[in-house]
Amino acid sequence: MSEISNAIATRDQGPAAQIEAYRDEYAALVPSHINVDQWVRLAAGAIRGNEDLMEAARNDIGVFLRELKTAARLGLEPGTEQFYLTARKSKAHGYALIIKGIVGYQGIVELIYRAGAVSSVIVEAVRANDTFSYVPGRDDRPIHEIDWFGGDRGPLVGVYAYAVMKDGAVSKVVVMNHKRVMEIKARSDSKNSQYSPWNTDEESMWLKSAIRQLAKWVPTSAEYKSEQLRAHAEAIGELASVASAPLPPQPSVLDDVDPDDEGPIEGELVD
């Protein structure tokens, strides 16, 4: 076999080629509105452009392909702020790098919109020089004023999230201060890793901390939405009032793949 043929054979066994090999399996998992060709290109491009991710994918291709399955089931774009692909040192792999997928805040926002119950989702970080006011029971939503042209907004001090439902009602408002976000960060096994979004994209992880809590109070899938609306209607005995009544806390499609208040578990990836 020529050197060129050998190079092609080696390349064809690589992670990007494996993604293509499992294309039909991913196509069966992604929601119908997802363009499978584009999804596969995103997944392959994410590792081709990052040496650490390519090394991690090669170290355990099975773990990598399994993480992509999670992104496919959720209908999120791998290698983006919807679904981060991160290289993680794994004790179970002799501290070699492996890939771990992390649902990002934009991915959770996408799931909420896709469920069809909300007209808008607001999730914003608050910085020291912003003006912020919110009194539960008095205000239906926070008042957040930013001087966009005043220079440095200062360090992050908090984050909030809420949704406006299709009928105009405002969901539960989630407000988190610095201490609360740091408690969530402390639970992440990846917090000290140079590859973690906590260190590469800190503000996005603050936003995720808030939107992940909001996901308890608004539907994240059409299936859960219909089930919860029906159960809620039966509980209050008035179907017509379901639209204007706030939904109770509910299951989320994120519960299995992105446990609430838990960071990625280093080296212990469970199907």
Side-chain angles (χ1 to χ4, degrees):
M1 185 179 290
S2 69
E3 290 184 4
I4 293 177
S5 297
N6 277 324
I8 292 174
T10 301
R11 183 185 63 200
D12 287 346
Q13 297 303 313
Q18 289 294 309
I19 297 171
E20 183 59 42
Y22 283 89
R23 181 187 180 285
D24 290 345
E25 187 170 346
Y26 293 132
L29 291 172
V30 298
S32 59
H33 71 279
I34 298 292
N35 183 308
V36 178
D37 292 331
Q38 180 180 352
W39 191 94
V40 168
R41 284 195 297 270
L42 279 171
I47 59 171
R48 282 177 175 149
N50 186 305
E51 292 182 3
D52 291 326
L53 288 180
M54 182 62 79
E55 176 187 346
R58 287 190 177 120
N59 286 339
D60 195 324
I61 190 67
V63 167
F64 172 50
L65 296 176
R66 189 171 71 224
E67 296 299 279
L68 289 183
K69 283 185 179 181
T70 298
R73 284 196 301 269
L74 293 174
L76 301 179
E77 297 177 344
T80 72
E81 289 187 344
Q82 288 190 2
F83 191 88
Y84 292 99
L85 294 175
T86 66
R88 190 69 44 78
K89 290 182 179 179
S90 167
K91 182 177 180 180
H93 291 72
Y95 295 100
L97 293 175
I98 60 171
I99 283 187
K100 173 64 180 173
I102 301 175
V103 180
Y105 90 93
Q106 290 188 4
I108 300 176
V109 170
E110 168 66 17
L111 293 173
I112 291 173
Y113 273 121
R114 197 186 302 161
V118 308
S119 61
S120 62
V121 178
I122 294 85
V123 52
E124 294 286 350
V126 182
R127 292 183 174 270
N129 295 330
D130 296 350
T131 299
F132 180 84
S133 175
Y134 175 65
V135 179
R138 184 194 72 185
D139 305 326
D140 69 339
R141 68 193 78 190
I143 298 173
H144 182 199
E145 297 179 358
I146 300 170
D147 184 357
W148 294 109
F149 307 108
D152 186 9
R153 290 174 57 197
L156 290 163
V157 295
V159 64
Y160 65 94
Y162 64 91
V164 179
M165 312 306 286
K166 286 288 182 67
D167 65 350
V170 177
S171 73
K172 178 181 176 64
V173 177
V174 172
V175 180
M176 307 176 74
N177 61 16
H178 180 276
K179 180 176 181 293
R180 179 70 179 113
V181 175
M182 291 302 100
E183 287 172 352
I184 292 174
K185 179 180 178 180
R187 293 187 178 96
S188 169
D189 286 344
S190 71
K191 60 183 179 294
N192 296 320
S193 168
Q194 62 178 312
Y195 309 109
S196 170
W198 279 109
N199 298 312
T200 63
D201 201 359
E202 182 185 18
E203 183 168 325
S204 289
M205 292 304 287
W206 279 62
L207 295 172
K208 179 188 174 179
S209 297
I211 199 71
R212 184 65 183 85
Q213 296 299 312
L214 181 64
K216 298 177 183 178
W217 299 92
V218 297
T220 51
S221 78
E223 178 183 356
Y224 278 126
K225 175 190 173 185
S226 60
E227 289 177 356
Q228 293 298 315
L229 286 174
R230 183 165 51 251
H232 194 49
E234 292 173 355
I236 65 176
E238 297 180 16
L239 182 60
S241 66
V242 171
S244 60
L247 289 174
Q250 57 200 274
S252 168
V253 295
L254 295 162
D255 289 345
D256 292 335
V257 299
D258 187 54
D260 180 39
D261 283 3
E262 292 290 342
I265 301 174
E266 184 171 75
E268 297 178 13
L269 305 179
V270 182
D271 279 324

